[in-house]
Amino acid sequence: MGAFFGHALPGAVFYLTGFWSLVNVLRVVVVGAPFIHRFWYPIDTRLTQKPVEPILKIVVCVIGVLIEMGHSARWQIHDVEGNFINMNDLQHSTMYISFIVASFVDILSEKSTKLRGLDALCYFVCFCGEAFLFYFHLHGREMVDVQIHICLVVASAICGVSAVVARWKSSNPILSITYSLFVMLHGTWFIQAGFLMYPPFHEKTPALNLMDPGAMMYVTNLFLAHILVLMVLLLLLYFIFTIITPPVKQQKHYVKHQKSDLGSPMYKTVPSSVHFYVDSD
């Protein structure tokens, strides 16, 4: 992960999954339909009932592990003298593997009510485990590098806690929106860390001075700016959906609420990721 791409790949995945979750929660909220929190949403295609999102996360995470440990020497954790090596790669791979496990649990928990709630536990372990790894990932690093990673630790820990709370109070869409926003923040800050420490256009953009005290204040302000931009995005999306999505009572069809095995709302008149079941008049 010691390169721009190594930060951009997980950052893009976190941002897109958080954004997709936010979009689906807002669609249900604006329509006024019953809401149940979930950690993945189907895609509006013929594969509606297939776990496309968890499968994509598994594929990307496997790619991440292969990139981190791609060279044969990197599978070694100590040299001939007994000194530990490649610990950065090992920690990054551990993060990817934990999300592979969580994605498999996503698929299984959709098939069996006995596993309901296990997905929240897995995401709590994944995000808080990542925070734990990155907190102890900072030995001997420059102070601005430490600051950047501490912001990532904060975002990751909040994701873990909000995952459990959103599942616990699963009918409260505000908690699901909070979870989605912090997953997006987690992703955008991953990408931002890549730009700050490994600028891809280094000929035009000099790398950040990682020992500059002023840069620490800049990083803190930048982290808050990410949060504010995501809040603006939330308001913008809500405004757009209130315009393009009619509430349930204004639709021509009679809307019948039907629950899946997990209690998730099943619908068909609005996009299939919201799942309405409709009886024609």
Side-chain angles (χ1 to χ4, degrees):
M1 198 177 284
F4 174 77
F5 179 76
H7 289 79
L9 176 64
V13 173
F14 284 124
Y15 176 79
L16 291 175
T17 54
F19 180 79
W20 180 239
S21 174
L22 178 63
V23 165
N24 282 276
V25 174
L26 288 177
R27 288 157 85 169
V28 177
V29 170
V30 172
V31 167
F35 175 79
I36 295 293
H37 175 78
R38 58 187 299 166
F39 288 101
W40 67 272
Y41 291 87
I43 298 174
D44 300 338
T45 65
R46 294 180 180 178
L47 300 176
T48 294
Q49 302 303 322
K50 304 298 182 181
V52 177
E53 181 182 335
I55 290 173
L56 289 177
K57 287 189 286 189
I58 291 171
V59 171
V60 172
C61 288
V62 168
I63 292 173
V65 172
L66 294 177
I67 291 175
E68 292 293 338
M69 309 295 286
H71 303 294
S72 58
R74 292 189 177 184
W75 292 100
Q76 301 176 1
I77 62 173
H78 60 81
D79 57 21
V80 293
E81 299 177 353
N83 299 312
F84 285 99
I85 58 176
N86 303 320
M87 287 297 100
N88 283 349
D89 301 319
L90 180 62
Q91 286 194 335
H92 298 155
S93 297
T94 302
M95 180 194 75
Y96 283 122
I97 291 171
S98 66
F99 282 101
I100 291 174
V101 173
S103 297
F104 274 114
V105 173
D106 270 343
I107 298 173
L108 296 175
S109 62
E110 190 75 6
K111 302 297 183 182
S112 173
T113 57
K114 296 180 180 180
L115 296 176
R116 186 180 183 187
L118 185 60
D119 51 359
L121 176 61
C122 282
Y123 278 106
F124 175 79
V125 171
C126 287
F127 283 116
C128 291
E130 179 193 333
F132 182 78
L133 286 173
F134 283 146
Y135 183 79
F136 293 101
H137 190 68
L138 308 175
H139 304 294
R141 292 175 178 260
E142 296 89 343
M143 58 183 182
V144 177
D145 191 349
V146 171
Q147 183 84 349
I148 292 171
H149 281 81
I150 288 297
C151 292
L152 190 60
V153 167
V154 170
S156 185
I158 295 176
C159 285
V161 173
S162 61
V164 173
V165 176
R167 173 59 82 190
W168 178 40
K169 299 291 186 180
S170 59
S171 61
N172 189 338
I174 299 300
L175 298 176
S176 292
I177 289 173
T178 302
Y179 169 75
S180 301
L181 285 176
F182 276 97
V183 172
M184 292 168 66
L185 174 66
H186 190 227
T188 59
W189 192 251
F190 247 119
I191 299 172
Q192 184 68 73
F195 273 105
L196 292 174
M197 296 188 295
Y198 310 99
F201 311 108
H202 54 84
E203 299 85 359
K204 299 180 180 180
T205 306
L208 198 65
N209 182 357
L210 299 180
M211 293 301 295
D212 180 10
M216 294 185 66
M217 300 178 66
Y218 170 72
V219 167
T220 305
N221 198 74
L222 195 59
F223 185 71
L224 180 59
H226 278 243
I227 297 175
L228 294 176
V229 169
L230 290 175
M231 291 299 296
V232 172
L233 176 61
L234 168 63
L235 296 174
L236 180 61
L237 287 174
Y238 183 81
F239 176 73
I240 291 174
F241 281 124
T242 55
I243 294 175
I244 66 175
T245 307
V248 173
K249 62 182 179 180
Q250 294 181 4
Q251 296 181 10
K252 296 181 179 179
H253 295 288
Y254 169 74
V255 179
K256 178 181 178 181
H257 179 221
Q258 180 185 10
K259 293 184 177 180
S260 68
D261 291 337
L262 294 180
S264 301
M266 303 297 290
Y267 309 105
K268 283 186 181 176
T269 51
V270 292
S272 55
S273 57
V274 186
H275 296 307
F276 272 106
Y277 176 80
V278 180
D279 290 336
S280 300
D281 293 330

